[in-house]
């Protein structure tokens, strides 16, 4: 077998995984895409090991040994990654990466200039000079976002 066949297949798998990492918004699909990229690397390692072992008969098959280590690390990575995604999904209610990023980078409340809980001005003194809006209870806010 020619070396080009598994190399082209590995390149296609890696490009598919890269597209999945860059384009997907679901954390589980991103993890699956990372696994696809790791499998493309494993395919290249085994293909080059077989190709190089034909030239030298006394080899240690280091490409296949490295592939086994990569598979073990990938299994640990997917286990820890899924545990993190499930914990975040339980706490936040979503596995969407954009929503998680928006909640992590949200503005801090509670300062004197942002209309937070420390602000005790009159009812017509909003940050833009208009009337100040009343705070929305947390249970109504959760229903509005669901």
């Amino acid at each position: 077998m020619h070396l080009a066949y598994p190399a082209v297949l590995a390149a296609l798998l890696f490009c598919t995984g890269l597209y999945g990492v860059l384009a997907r918004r679901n954390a589980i699909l991103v993890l699956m895409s990372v696994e696809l990229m790791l499998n493309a690397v494993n395919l290249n390692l085994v293909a080059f090991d077989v190709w190089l072992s034909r030239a030298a008969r006394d080899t240690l098959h280091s490409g296949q040994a490295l592939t086994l280590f990569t598979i073990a690390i990938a299994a640990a990575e997917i286990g820890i990654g899924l545990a993190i995604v499930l914990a975040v999904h339980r706490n936040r209610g979503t596995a969407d990466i954009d929503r998680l990023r928006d909640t992590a980078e949200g503005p801090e409340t509670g300062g004197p200039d942002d209309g937070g809980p420390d602000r005790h001005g009159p009812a017509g003194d909003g940050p833009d000079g208009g009337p100040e809006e009343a705070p929305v209870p947390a249970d109504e806010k959760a229903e509005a976002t669901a």
Side-chain angles (χ1 to χ4, degrees), residues 5 13 26 35 42 59 63 74 80 92 103 141-142:
Y5 297 137
L13 283 174
N26 191 344
E35 289 294 320
N42 288 339
T59 61
I80 292 171
R92 304 270 174 101
T103 58
K141 191 181 289 185

Side-chain angles (χ1 to χ4, degrees), residues 21-43:
V21 167
L22 295 176
R24 299 293 178 197
R25 299 292 176 235
N26 191 344
I28 293 177
L29 292 177
V30 169
L31 285 173
M32 289 174 59
S33 298
V34 169
E35 289 294 320
L36 199 61
M37 292 167 62
L38 285 173
N39 285 331
V41 170
N42 288 339
L43 181 62

Side-chain angles (χ1 to χ4, degrees), residues 52-103:
L52 290 174
S53 69
R54 288 185 183 170
R57 296 290 174 201
D58 298 327
T59 61
L60 296 176
H61 296 290
S62 57
Q64 293 178 16
L66 189 58
T67 299
L68 290 176
F69 286 118
T70 307
I71 289 171
I73 289 173
E77 175 257 336
I78 198 70
I80 292 171
L82 281 176
I84 291 171
V85 168
L86 288 175
V88 167
H89 188 273
R90 283 184 188 157
N91 289 335
R92 304 270 174 101
T94 184
D96 188 13
I97 294 175
D98 286 337
R99 283 188 178 176
L100 297 177
R101 187 181 312 134
D102 290 343
T103 58

